[in-house]
């Protein structure tokens, strides 16, 4: 796997990964069979210089940090939450959304009480409320976070908002924006030293695409 002339690329499974892969494709890096819809996990380009693999979006940074992938694409949310030791090469300007605090319509914070916060992002939520000196109780969930305030499991949620339709359809509102999120091209630190030329070529291809 760690061939000096082959770059291992971790792509996030899903819509964002498909968009990212199409940029590689347009830049001349395509791998046969990648769209065949089978159960195969690794795809190589014809020249054998690039190897793509699909991983769970939240795992991309783990592969890159540990060098199993030389580069990958991860959301800023994951980078802020897990703080992997990787280089952030480029903001790809896709997968745009925001991290926000939301609650039931008409919610009013009673600051004399500990605020119950449901989230998939305990570090981001913890850091945000610590910076405001607000005492909170974090309830870590793994999905469908919007259910928590509806069922009175929490007062608020800290979660990703993209179109806002999940909030709207569940009578929830956004109260505070914590930060903007988008997809980032990240690199393993030692790969950046040894495979820099190829990585820079890929960065340029993405920059062209973003113009
Ligand atoms: C994310 C996020 C929100 C939703 C926001 O969930 O956690 O639930 O998307 O998108 P919207 O503002 O466009 O409605 P995801 O689809 O990743 O699934 P999850 O509920 O399992 O986290």
């Amino acid at each position: 796997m760690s061939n000096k002339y082959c770059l291992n690329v971790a792509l996030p499974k899903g819509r964002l990964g498909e968009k990212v892969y199409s940029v590689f494709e347009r830049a001349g890096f395509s791998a046969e069979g990648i769209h065949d819809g089978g159960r195969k996990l690794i795809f190589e380009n014809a020249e054998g210089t690039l190897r793509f693999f699909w991983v769970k979006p939240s795992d991309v940074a783990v592969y890159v940090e540990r060098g199993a992938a030389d580069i990958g694409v991860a959301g800023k949310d994951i980078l802020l939450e897990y703080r992997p030791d990787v280089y952030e090469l480029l903001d790809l300007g896709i997968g745009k959304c925001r991290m926000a605090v939301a609650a039931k319509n008409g919610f009013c914070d009673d600051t004399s009480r500990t605020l119950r916060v449901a989230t998939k992002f305990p570090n981001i939520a913890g850091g945000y409320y610590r910076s405001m000196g607000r005492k909170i109780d974090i309830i870590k969930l793994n999905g469908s976070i919007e259910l928590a305030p509806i069922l009175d499991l929490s007062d608020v949620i800290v979660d990703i908002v993209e179109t806002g339709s999940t909030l709207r359809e569940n009578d929830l509102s956004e109260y505070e924006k914590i930060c903007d999120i988008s997809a980032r091209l990240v690199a393993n630190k030692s790969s950046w030293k040894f495979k820099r030329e190829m990585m820079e070529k890929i960065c340029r291809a993405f920059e062209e695409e973003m113009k």
Side-chain angles (χ1 to χ4, degrees):
M1 269 272 178
S2 52
N3 176 344
K4 187 167 187 263
Y5 301 101
C6 181
L7 206 68
N8 291 308
V9 185
L11 293 173
K13 248 186 254 170
R15 234 175 345 130
L16 175 64
E18 295 292 340
K19 267 192 199 168
V20 171
Y21 175 71
S22 68
V23 178
F24 276 100
E25 221 171 18
R26 284 194 290 276
F29 302 105
S30 52
E32 209 181 311
I34 199 161
H35 288 308
D36 288 356
R39 304 288 295 170
K40 197 172 147 132
L41 296 170
I42 300 179
F43 301 89
E44 215 168 287
N45 67 343
E47 298 77 27
T49 50
L50 228 105
R51 200 182 274 141
F52 297 102
F53 39 91
W54 299 105
V55 302
K56 206 171 169 214
S58 53
D59 288 341
V60 168
V62 177
Y63 282 82
V64 175
E65 182 175 30
R66 292 178 173 265
D70 299 302
I71 55 171
V73 173
K76 185 68 180 173
D77 51 334
I78 300 296
L79 301 177
L80 289 171
E81 180 63 24
Y82 299 103
R83 304 212 163 270
D85 190 18
V86 296
Y87 288 134
E88 212 177 293
L89 302 182
L90 269 185
D91 180 347
L92 301 180
I94 52 178
K96 281 188 181 173
C97 53
R98 54 196 182 275
M99 186 66 65
V101 179
K104 282 201 269 196
N105 294 341
F107 167 76
C108 191
D109 187 8
D110 175 358
T111 51
S112 66
R113 287 180 48 229
T114 298
L115 187 70
R116 297 168 305 157
V117 182
T119 188
K120 258 193 282 194
F121 304 96
N123 292 326
I124 295 176
Y128 176 70
Y129 283 106
R130 224 176 1 262
S131 75
M132 300 197 310
R134 181 77 171 93
K135 199 161 179 280
I136 61 165
D137 176 15
I138 290 198
I139 301 155
K140 167 81 169 69
L141 295 175
N142 298 301
S144 303
I145 314 297
E146 291 83 356
L147 270 176
I150 300 170
L151 300 177
D152 199 32
L153 175 63
S154 75
D155 301 305
V156 300
I157 61 174
V158 165
D159 199 17
I160 299 282
V161 179
E162 191 181 352
T163 60
S165 59
T166 311
L167 294 180
R168 272 191 305 278
E169 287 178 28
N170 291 289
D171 300 321
L172 303 170
S173 306
E174 185 176 336
Y175 284 89
E176 293 139 45
K177 181 171 100 171
I178 298 180
C179 59
D180 287 311
I181 304 288
S182 56
R184 310 294 161 105
L185 186 67
V186 293
N188 172 269
K189 288 191 162 175
S190 85
S191 303
W192 176 246
K193 273 192 220 141
F194 300 110
K195 300 182 180 182
R196 187 161 175 167
E197 202 179 313
M198 186 129 174
M199 288 188 187
E200 285 183 332
K201 198 171 161 196
I202 287 164
C203 283
R204 282 196 298 274
F206 275 99
E207 280 167 342
E208 275 303 308
E209 189 74 20
M210 289 171 347
K211 273 183 189 165

